[in-house]
Amino acid sequence: MLAEALAPGANGSASARALGVDASDSQAETGGSAFRPIEAAPALPIASELFRAFNEAGLKYGIIQDLASLHDGFAGRDDLDVLLDKRDYPVFCSIVCQLHGRRSVSLSCYDNVCAGREDWFLPDFSRGRYLHLDMHIGARVGWEFRKRYPAFDYAAIARWESISVDGVSVPVVSPEDELRIAIARFAFRAWALPWRQWIAVDKGWQQHFARLPFPSDEQGLQVVDYTFGGARTARCRFLQSADGLVAHRGDLARLRRSIREMCGYAGRYAIADAAVHLARKTSYLAVRFLQRLMPGRLPPKRRPAAGGLVVALIGPDGMGKSTQADRLTQIFGWKFGCAQAYVGTGDGNGWWIRKALQTVVFPHRRRLKSLAQNDGKDSSGRAWSKGGVVAAALALWAVLIAFERYAVVKRAHRWATRGLIVVCDRWPQALCRGYLDGPTIPPHLFSVPGLSALARLEQRLYEKMAGCRPDLTLHLVSDFAVSEQRKPGEIRKEAFDARLSLMAELRAKDKDIRTVDASAGIEAVGRELFRHIWLSL
């Protein structure tokens, strides 16, 4: 490892940081006592709880990223790059698991997959969000899809500073160490034409080089020295030109060669790195293209290590199922592969032919329903002739809906097997007709010649769907007054009570179904749903 790579004296005096403390106040080790609190975006309470547990366990760790992004990281809006001593990895896993942490996995073609790096996520049930830890056992450098060289382990960081997160001291990398890590990463990413001596630093990297040392001569050269084990050294020169900040091509090449040799790689590994990077990036672009072309057909970039999950939100009208499904999809979709499915016949997504027919039939639904409920005793009259046609049309309509729901149910389970978290608005049941997305063909049509076959087909489809249960079923329950307030006139009290009674019957048959009080505010209900889903991952 790079035991002496980051000598503090090589960078002169570092400028004061926006977060943390001045260089003169920081301590050489994690336990420094002088620090200033983080301001601006409030941190998630789980962040202070996590780092307090790390400190109490004596873990050797630190955050190795630009402090400008730490506000969003602690608030659960960005990731936190944590460098951990390899010997403390078992304790780290124990602490994170006690806090209900979950690890994600990815396909090998993605750029975030390399040895010694893991994505961990910790929930904050009080906020309904989660913290993303980008955990490194030795920060690796290399091509974007070939981060092969563990150039910076915990011991290689010469100096740590401290910041405060809700009164908890958190070690962060010093400005000079952060600069050298950024330059080492840039050395493997930089590219220019062979005859160019200086390589332009694009705007994305210039923000990482804002703390370069002052020019060392009249030409305006800014020099950063690396000291490796033994007598080997490397020097990187930067120059402010008319085209912006540029880096010396030969210096970057020597730095790459020195890092490879330090990690035990000698010879023509540069060609191998480029070839592997090209192959993996080609695979990555192909996978991303196929994911856009065929959503849900391939595993997402990040998926829970335990696999995907099918979640069903069930409740009467006005309980906020669609609103909560949208919120949960957005929250979990921030880092995980997440999809949303609609199993009803309302305004949600569905087959275009069913949606078109529904638009035509909807204004006359009550009249057609009353005609379809004719028991057929007056078969010689014109009313029965008209009612029989409508009954046949509604039977076909019900079978079309059953096929659509069956396709959605099967698709949701396929997505979950590929690692997606699937949030379903509603879920079919075969216990009672006409309620909670159950069968819709009236019972008396089972005895009508011709229509009985459609009725039996619908029944079989719902029985198959009953065998494809969700991994987690959540019942949203409340009083009728809440539904009437949110959606006035949408449902009568008798129908509302019938749905609640049926939901209670479903819970009696399946003890794993969980209930959530939907009378609370959107945020409170969302936090409770988030907690149930997270603990089921």
Side-chain angles (χ1 to χ4, degrees):
M1 283 296 174
L2 190 52
E4 304 173 15
L6 305 175
N11 191 29
S13 61
S15 59
R17 308 185 119 190
L19 299 175
V21 297
D22 194 281
S24 61
D25 295 330
S26 59
Q27 304 296 318
E29 293 296 332
T30 301
S33 59
F35 54 88
R36 293 193 329 197
I38 287 183
E39 300 176 357
L44 295 178
I46 190 63
S48 58
E49 185 178 354
L50 172 69
F51 293 116
R52 181 181 293 108
F54 284 174
N55 296 340
E56 292 176 353
L59 264 65
K60 295 181 178 179
Y61 75 97
I63 297 178
I64 52 168
Q65 68 187 73
D66 186 5
L67 288 185
S69 64
L70 281 186
H71 293 304
D72 290 336
F74 287 116
R77 295 193 296 263
D78 199 355
D79 59 341
L80 291 172
D81 292 320
V82 178
L83 181 63
L84 180 70
D85 190 289
K86 183 177 182 179
R87 293 168 293 185
D88 292 333
Y89 177 73
V91 182
F92 168 86
C93 293
S94 176
I95 294 174
V96 172
C97 291
Q98 289 176 5
L99 297 175
H100 305 291
R102 299 292 186 267
R103 184 172 64 88
S104 73
V105 294
S106 304
L107 295 178
S108 59
C109 64
Y110 287 105
D111 59 331
N112 65 332
V113 177
C114 64
R117 181 196 175 280
E118 294 178 353
D119 288 304
W120 285 87
F121 302 89
L122 283 89
D124 192 303
F125 298 135
S126 65
R127 302 284 181 86
R129 300 184 63 87
Y130 52 88
L131 196 70
H132 178 199
L133 296 182
D134 193 353
M135 193 277 296
H136 304 264
I137 298 178
R140 292 175 175 257
V141 297
W143 288 68
E144 183 180 6
F145 291 85
R146 181 66 162 173
K147 301 182 185 74
R148 187 180 192 183
Y149 307 106
F152 304 94
D153 61 0
Y154 181 84
I157 306 301
R159 186 166 59 87
W160 294 98
E161 294 184 352
S162 295
I163 58 174
S164 175
V165 180
D166 293 337
V168 179
S169 176
V170 179
V172 295
V173 66
S174 62
E176 58 269 20
D177 292 338
E178 177 189 340
L179 175 63
R180 284 170 174 74
I181 294 175
I183 293 175
R185 287 171 171 168
F186 175 74
F188 285 90
R189 308 287 183 88
W191 183 89
L193 297 174
W195 56 83
R196 299 291 297 271
Q197 184 181 11
W198 294 90
I199 299 177
V201 179
D202 57 38
K203 294 182 179 179
W205 285 98
Q206 286 183 13
Q207 61 180 352
H208 298 288
F209 300 156
R211 299 182 181 89
L212 284 168
F214 294 106
S216 59
D217 55 17
E218 294 79 4
Q219 297 179 351
L221 285 176
Q222 297 167 285
V223 181
V224 178
D225 293 322
Y226 286 77
T227 302
F228 300 94
R232 294 175 298 171
T233 60
R235 167 171 294 189
C236 292
R237 289 170 289 177
F238 293 85
L239 179 65
Q240 288 288 350
S241 66
D243 299 329
L245 183 66
V246 293
H248 194 274
R249 180 192 188 95
D251 293 346
L252 297 179
R254 281 187 289 272
L255 178 59
R256 292 194 299 268
R257 186 164 53 251
S258 299
I259 291 176
R260 288 193 181 101
E261 292 176 355
M262 179 196 63
C263 296
Y265 295 93
R268 301 181 180 273
Y269 283 99
I271 299 176
D273 290 344
V276 173
H277 164 78
L278 180 61
R280 289 183 176 176
K281 187 164 188 176
T282 303
S283 302
Y284 163 77
L285 294 175
V287 168
R288 291 300 299 270
F289 174 76
L290 292 176
Q291 284 177 337
R292 292 176 179 270
L293 189 64
M294 301 178 293
R297 299 295 182 89
L298 296 174
K301 181 175 183 179
R302 293 184 181 90
R303 59 190 188 277
L309 188 72
V310 177
V311 182
L313 305 181
I314 299 176
D317 296 338
M319 296 295 98
K321 299 184 298 296
S322 300
T323 300
Q324 295 298 340
D326 292 338
R327 292 184 75 257
L328 293 170
T329 302
Q330 182 179 6
I331 290 173
F332 284 99
W334 174 50
K335 288 295 180 180
F336 293 100
C338 193
Q340 187 174 348
Y342 179 74
V343 199
T345 58
D347 297 331
N349 295 327
W351 289 354
W352 67 268
I353 185 172
R354 193 265 299 169
K355 300 286 286 186
L357 290 174
Q358 184 169 310
T359 303
V360 176
V361 174
F362 188 79
H364 312 284
R365 65 190 188 281
R366 292 184 178 177
R367 178 170 174 268
L368 296 177
K369 185 177 181 180
S370 64
L371 287 173
Q373 291 175 348
N374 191 327
D375 58 7
K377 291 180 180 180
D378 187 13
S379 59
S380 61
R382 182 179 178 184
W384 164 240
S385 176
K386 187 175 181 181
V389 171
V390 173
L394 288 182
L396 290 172
W397 169 261
V399 172
L400 177 63
I401 292 175
F403 272 113
E404 179 182 347
R405 286 173 171 167
Y406 181 71
V408 173
V409 166
K410 300 297 288 185
R411 186 194 313 131
H413 280 281
R414 286 198 305 270
W415 284 348
T417 58
R418 292 166 186 151
L420 276 76
I421 300 173
V422 186
V423 182
C424 299
D425 183 355
R426 307 168 180 263
W427 194 267
Q429 53 83 26
L431 188 62
C432 181
R433 293 180 172 274
Y435 293 102
L436 292 181
D437 305 296
T440 57
I441 296 181
H444 72 271
L445 294 184
F446 276 83
S447 60
V448 178
L451 300 186
S452 60
L454 295 177
R456 288 192 297 271
L457 175 59
E458 183 197 39
Q459 185 67 30
R460 285 197 298 270
L461 288 173
Y462 278 92
E463 289 174 354
K464 289 183 178 180
M465 285 185 273
C468 299
R469 302 308 304 161
D471 300 300
L472 175 63
T473 303
L474 298 171
H475 281 185
L476 301 177
V477 298
S478 184
D479 298 330
F480 176 71
V482 176
S483 175
E484 184 66 16
Q485 180 183 5
R486 294 175 179 174
K487 290 187 175 181
E490 185 72 18
I491 187 174
R492 296 192 302 270
K493 188 177 187 305
E494 295 77 11
F496 183 89
D497 293 338
R499 285 165 171 79
L500 287 184
S501 177
L502 178 56
M503 291 167 61
E505 189 175 352
L506 291 172
R507 291 195 297 272
K509 291 180 175 294
D510 186 355
K511 301 299 183 181
D512 293 330
I513 296 178
R514 306 172 191 178
T515 60
V516 176
D517 184 7
S519 60
I522 294 177
E523 294 291 335
V525 175
R527 289 193 295 269
E528 184 67 13
L529 294 174
F530 172 84
R531 184 179 68 85
H532 283 294
I533 295 174
W534 189 274
L535 294 178
S536 299
L537 290 178

